[in-house]
């Protein structure tokens, strides 16, 4: 149950961070305005809060593992929001990152 909660928190964090960054991008690069930028900044702040809800108490471990989720989530977001089509190297890289995340967060540790 702890792993399922942790994975769910990683997904929520990814939605806030990637979504927030995308909103800022849209506001600045696509000239959609300050409302989009402000919404992005709020979402990015919420990402930081969600990360603190992880059951693991080690900041470095949680953020390092989240990096793998961010890579895969960014590719998925690009596909859904911008029509991006990843090639096999993008997919392989994302899978490697997710495997690294799983090792960092969920490997059995003694003690």
């Amino acid at each position: 149950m702890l792993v399922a909660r942790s994975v769910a928190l990683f997904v929520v964090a990814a939605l806030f961070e990637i979504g927030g960054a995308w909103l800022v991008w849209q506001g600045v690069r696509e000239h959609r305005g300050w409302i989009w930028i402000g919404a992005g900044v709020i979402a990015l702040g919420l990402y930081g809060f969600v990360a603190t809800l992880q059951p693991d108490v080690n900041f470095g471990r949680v953020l390092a593992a989240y990096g793998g989720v961010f890579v895969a989530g960014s590719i998925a977001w690009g596909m859904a929001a911008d029509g991006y089509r990843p090639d096999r190297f993008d997919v392989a890289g994302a899978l490697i990152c997710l495997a690294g995340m799983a090792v960092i967060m969920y490997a059995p540790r003694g003690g």
Side-chain angles (χ1 to χ4, degrees), residues 63 71 75:
L63 269 285
V71 169
I75 290 173

Side-chain angles (χ1 to χ4, degrees), residues 74-97:
S74 295
I75 290 173
W77 189 284
M79 291 171 62
D82 291 326
Y84 173 70
R85 293 291 164 236
D87 63 23
R88 67 179 189 249
F89 300 109
D90 295 325
V91 173
L95 291 173
I96 290 167
C97 289

Side-chain angles (χ1 to χ4, degrees), residues 7-103:
V7 168
L9 286 168
F10 277 130
V11 170
V12 171
L15 290 173
F16 280 128
E17 186 182 21
I18 298 164
W22 184 81
L23 287 167
V24 171
W25 179 283
Q26 293 296 308
V28 175
R29 299 281 302 255
E30 303 298 328
H31 309 289
R32 296 205 175 173
W34 286 103
I35 300 263
W36 287 67
I37 295 167
V41 169
I42 290 167
L44 288 166
L46 289 170
Y47 150 73
F49 177 75
V50 170
T52 69
L53 301 175
Q54 280 290 341
D56 193 297
V57 300
N58 297 292
F59 173 82
R61 180 177 294 146
V62 169
L63 269 285
Y66 175 70
V69 175
F70 180 81
V71 169
S74 295
I75 290 173
W77 189 284
M79 291 171 62
D82 291 326
Y84 173 70
R85 293 291 164 236
D87 63 23
R88 67 179 189 249
F89 300 109
D90 295 325
V91 173
L95 291 173
I96 290 167
C97 289
L98 288 174
M101 179 277 291
V103 170

